[in-house]
Amino acid sequence: MSPSSRSRALLLLAAKLALVFGCALAASLGLCLLLVRRVRAHDAALGLATSKLDRVSLRSLSSLEGLQQSHETFLHVFAVQFPLALLCFACLYVLKQTFAIPGSALLNVFAGATLPLAVAFPLVCLLTATGASCCFLLSKWLASEEIVLGVCERLLPGKLQALRMKIEDARERGQLPFLLLFLRVFPFSPNWFLNLASPWLKVPLKLFAPSVAVGLLPYNFATVHAGAMLSSLRSTSDLLDPRTMGLLMLLAVGMLIPALLKRKAKEQTAPADDGQAQPTPERSSKKSD
């Protein structure tokens, strides 16, 4: 592809992404505005002089301090308009995941602070897999292989070739699901990099999505659980303190043990099957007679 053609392709891709992002953002903001109007109407019906939403600002979801200050207000919003509030949260979460916008840890804390753990944890796991899958599909449908792989190689030199070799080797051995799970449990490469590059490295979506949902279970659990202790958090670094890191490692190792045992059993049965498939010399001579 010539430089001029590459420039036109990049501009076209940027326009497509801007259009998709604008539509998704407009839909999400529309739902949020509807939620605000309904909560204000509810507060007015109760005879409140000012709505509790007056204490919320745009910074409330952009920092841990803002989330702590607005915690009671968010609890009120979910109590008044639970289905709509849940839908708004889901849309914003998937939007951030789809376009690789930082801040998923803070949203996980928000979910843990405003929802019961039994609801927040599976919800976050589902939204994480959904957002990553949307990023996967955007890369596959809107971009081209040359552009995506070129961007990945420029931002993370050498990572793409190493990942390609690992995936090809795992595919030949029939161990691709284990590799995808390992890459999520121990993220040596950024998640956005895996999301963008996977469709062009011939990773099927039916393996990609479950690997995200299962592989990020430890991280999601730790951050959602931290939301239940929101008042004791001083900064986002407290989300991954030594105790939490130890818990993450234990969960990660525990998740990988069944996969490793299954892989070992498969490797042990393969030589046995090969040995049974080979005919013995005596049987061969009898057949020739």
Side-chain angles (χ1 to χ4, degrees), residues 4-5 17 48 51 88 124 171 175 177 182 200 220 234 244 248-249 254 282 284:
S4 59
S5 300
L17 290 176
L48 299 178
S51 173
C88 290
V124 163
R171 184 181 289 111
Q175 299 170 356
F182 181 84
W200 303 108
N220 285 335
R234 297 183 300 274
T244 304
L248 281 175
M249 292 298 296
E282 295 180 358
S284 301

Side-chain angles (χ1 to χ4, degrees), residues 85-100:
L86 195 64
L87 179 60
C88 290
F89 172 76
C91 290
L92 292 175
Y93 198 108
V94 172
L95 180 67
K96 290 174 71 68
Q97 288 288 106
T98 301
F99 292 93

Side-chain angles (χ1 to χ4, degrees), residues 136 162-185 194 197-212 214-215 256 259-260 262-263 266-267:
F136 177 102
L163 180 62
R164 187 194 300 274
M165 293 176 62
K166 290 180 181 178
I167 289 178
E168 290 178 353
D169 181 65
R171 184 181 289 111
E172 292 177 358
R173 295 172 176 266
Q175 299 170 356
L176 184 57
F178 303 132
L179 174 65
L180 296 177
L181 182 62
F182 181 84
L183 291 174
R184 296 293 178 173
V185 175
L194 297 175
S198 291
W200 303 108
L201 297 179
K202 299 180 181 179
V203 175
L205 184 61
K206 64 181 181 180
L207 294 181
F208 174 85
S211 71
V212 176
V214 178
L256 288 177
L260 293 175
K262 185 176 180 180
R263 173 182 173 181
K266 186 175 181 180
E267 291 177 348

